[in-house]
C-alpha cells in the first residue's frame, strides 16, 4: 500500500505524503519488523526526501515510553514525538528523559480529541502551564484565530457608545466557543492554576441555552 501511495504521489507531483501506521507495541517483533520494512520502502522510493518520522506517545504511559521510543527509533529512525492526552492530569514529564537519552524532541502535543487541539510544542509555554503561570501566548494565538480584529474593534466602539446589542453578544460568545474548551482556556490565564480551578467546571451547555434564548 505504501509503495503504491508513493508511486501515485510522484506521478501526480504531490509534495507531501502522510503515512499513518496501525498502532503497535514495541515488544511485538513482527509488527516492529513491518515498521522497519515500511521505513526501507520510503528510503528506497524517496531518496533524499525531507522526511519526518513521528511517534505518538500517550502522556500517561510513564517510564515505559522510553523503551518504546528507543525500539521505534531503532526500527524507523525517529525525528520527533507527538505527546497526547495532555488535557488530563498527566504532565508528560517522561519526554525529558526521552530527549536526554535519545535526543528526540517533542514536535506536537494533543490537548483534546479534536483536530484543532493538536498544537505545536513550545517548551517554555509548557513549563509555564505546569508551574501555574498560564500560557498567554497560546491564548492570544487562539483569540487571533477566532476573533475578527475589525469586528472586535467595531464591537468595542458600540459598547463605548452604549449600542452593544444581543446580536453582538451572540457573535462574541460564538467566537469564544471557537477558541476551544473554556476550562482549558481558563488554565492559560496567569494565576489560574490547577489549584485555583479545583472543583470549578464551566458548563458549556449553558452557552448553548443562552444562544437558544437569544435566537428565539
Amino acid at each position: 500500500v505504501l509503495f503504491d501511495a508513493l508511486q501515485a504521489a510522484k506521478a501526480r507531483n504531490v509534495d507531501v505524503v502522510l503515512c499513518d501506521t496501525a498502532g503497535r507495541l514495541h515488544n511485538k517483533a513482527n509488527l516492529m519488523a513491518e515498521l522497519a520494512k515500511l521505513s526501507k520502502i520510503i528510503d528506497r522510493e524517496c531518496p533524499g526526501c525531507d522526511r519526518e518520522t513521528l511517534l505518538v506517545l500517550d502522556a500517561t504511559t510513564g517510564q515505559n515510553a522510553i523503551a518504546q521510543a528507543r525500539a521505534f527509533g531503532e526500527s524507523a529512525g525517529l525525528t520527533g514525538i507527538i505527546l497526547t492526552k495532555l488535557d488530563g492530569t498527566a504532565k508528560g514529564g517522561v519526554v525529558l528523559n526521552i530527549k536526554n537519552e535519545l535526543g528526540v524532541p517533542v514536535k506536537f502535543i494533543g490537548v483534546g480529541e479534536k483536530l484543532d487541539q493538536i498544537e505545536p510544542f513550545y517548551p517554555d509555554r509548557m513549563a509555564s502551564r505546569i508551574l501555574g503561570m498560564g500560557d498567554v501566548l497560546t491564548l492570544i494565538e487562539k483569540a487571533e484565530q477566532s476573533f475578527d480584529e475589525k469586528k472586535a474593534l467595531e464591537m468595542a466602539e458600540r459598547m463605548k457608545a452604549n449600542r452593544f446589542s444581543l446580536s453582538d453578544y451572540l457573535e462574541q460568545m460564538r467566537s469564544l466557543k471557537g477558541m476551544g474548551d473554556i476550562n482549558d482556556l481558563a488554565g492559560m490565564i496567569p494565576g489560574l492554576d490547577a489549584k485555583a480551578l479545583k472543583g470549578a467546571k464551566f458548563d458549556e451547555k449553558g452557552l448553548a441555552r443562552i444562544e437558544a434564548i437569544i435566537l428565539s
Side-chain angles (χ1 to χ4, degrees):
V1 172
L2 178 58
F3 173 81
D4 290 341
L6 293 173
Q7 293 300 313
K10 287 190 284 187
R12 294 170 172 79
N13 292 319
V14 174
D15 293 326
V16 178
V17 176
L18 294 177
C19 173
D20 180 20
T21 68
R24 63 200 68 208
L25 295 174
H26 59 284
N27 55 3
K28 300 293 183 181
N30 58 329
L31 292 177
M32 295 307 293
E34 181 185 81
L35 189 66
K37 184 178 179 181
L38 292 172
S39 181
K40 289 178 181 177
I41 290 173
I42 296 173
D43 289 338
R44 186 184 69 220
E45 297 303 319
C46 301
C49 66
D50 187 10
R51 171 181 164 184
E52 288 274 8
T53 305
L54 305 175
L55 171 64
V56 179
L57 280 178
D58 186 329
T60 63
T61 301
Q63 296 304 311
N64 190 45
I66 299 174
Q68 191 174 348
R70 183 181 291 111
F72 274 78
E74 291 170 355
S75 297
L78 293 181
T79 60
I81 300 288
I82 300 177
L83 194 64
T84 64
K85 297 188 181 178
L86 282 173
D87 51 324
T89 57
K91 299 299 183 184
V94 70
V95 296
L96 296 174
N97 290 334
I98 293 175
K99 173 64 177 175
N100 289 335
E101 291 190 28
L102 307 178
V104 181
V106 177
K107 296 291 184 77
F108 296 93
I109 57 173
V111 293
E113 298 179 357
K114 298 178 182 177
L115 189 60
D116 60 357
Q117 291 175 314
I118 299 175
E119 304 175 352
F121 175 70
Y122 299 103
D124 53 341
R125 300 186 190 184
M126 181 59 65
S128 293
R129 288 195 204 184
I130 292 173
L131 295 172
M133 297 165 61
D135 185 355
V136 175
L137 291 176
T138 300
L139 187 62
I140 291 171
E141 286 178 359
K142 287 182 175 290
E144 287 176 342
Q145 293 169 6
S146 298
F147 285 86
D148 183 289
E149 185 177 1
K150 184 180 178 181
K151 286 185 178 180
L153 289 172
E154 290 175 353
M155 284 187 187
E157 290 300 323
R158 286 199 291 275
M159 190 176 288
K160 288 179 184 177
N162 201 25
R163 291 187 290 107
F164 190 80
S165 67
L166 284 175
S167 296
D168 294 326
Y169 176 61
L170 182 61
E171 188 171 337
Q172 280 201 334
M173 191 170 63
R174 286 172 173 170
S175 297
L176 181 63
K177 287 171 64 178
M179 289 175 63
D181 186 274
I182 305 297
N183 297 287
D184 290 341
L185 296 177
M188 296 178 191
I189 300 173
L192 286 182
D193 57 12
K195 291 181 180 178
L197 292 171
K198 188 175 181 180
K201 191 70 177 176
F202 187 87
D203 182 14
E204 294 203 31
K205 292 181 180 179
L207 292 180
R209 287 193 290 271
I210 293 172
E211 184 174 346
I213 292 169
I214 293 174
L215 292 176
S216 62

